[in-house]
Amino acid sequence: MLQLQLGLVLYGISDGMILMSGLGANPWDVFHQGLAEHIGLPVGTTVILVGAVVMLAWIPIRQKPGFGTLSNVVVVGLAMDGAMAWMPTPHAWWLRWGEMLAGIVLNGVATGAYIGAGMGPGPRDGVMTGYAARGHSIRLVRTSMEITVLSAGWLLGGTVGIGTAAYALLIGPLAHRFIPLLAIRPKKGMAEQDAAEQDTAAQAARAEKPRRVNAGQLVSENC
């Protein structure tokens, strides 16, 4: 639970850092930024609203949200608004680049933290995994989603730039590194205990089977 919430807070802060650099953002945040300008709400609040709407797409594909999913909808947007209200806007080019790159790296760490907690995917990732479970290509579904929201965000006035390209190139390797690193696994002792219990149950089942067969034969002979 602690890792989940910390990961979501860091994810929102990192999203805010990338946007504050003014060099572009990931496709979903380009869409959030463009939509926020039209509806007159903070970007983080828009993230919450879009996340709630995206979860409606879970209904036809029969996806069930976990606690991590619901937390994702709320916590990321709140952390993003808080970060953007607190952090100053950088003006020097090296500060903008530094904030963008630091935000992308922090986003990779945060992704590993909240996914590694194993308490449910985010609303947008849930759509991808839901369609993949129904036989669709993950690559095709994810690419289609990213292109659609990026195009819509650009048309709405969201910032597309070098940061968008840098995010696309770096987030995959970063997530590949940090998701396994931060994945929570059962303790060794608990895993061994579970294995021992399963082995005992299997032995008991094998021992019970001959008794049942013998009892069945006895009943047949008596009949």
Side-chain angles (χ1 to χ4, degrees), residues 7 27 36 43 66 69 72 77-78 110 116 118 122 125 135 138 157 164 178 214 218 223:
V43 179
T69 308
N72 187 298
L78 292 177
D125 291 334
I138 291 181
T164 309
F178 286 109
N214 294 336
L218 180 62
C223 291

Side-chain angles (χ1 to χ4, degrees), residues 194-218:
D194 290 342
E197 291 176 353
Q198 292 175 2
D199 185 60
T200 302
Q203 291 177 0
R206 288 194 294 268
E208 182 68 17
K209 186 175 180 180
R211 289 198 292 269
R212 290 178 179 174
V213 172
N214 294 336
Q217 292 175 347
L218 180 62

Side-chain angles (χ1 to χ4, degrees), residues 75-88:
V75 176
V76 171
L78 292 177
M80 194 172 181
D81 275 345
M84 295 182 72
W86 172 73
M87 291 186 300

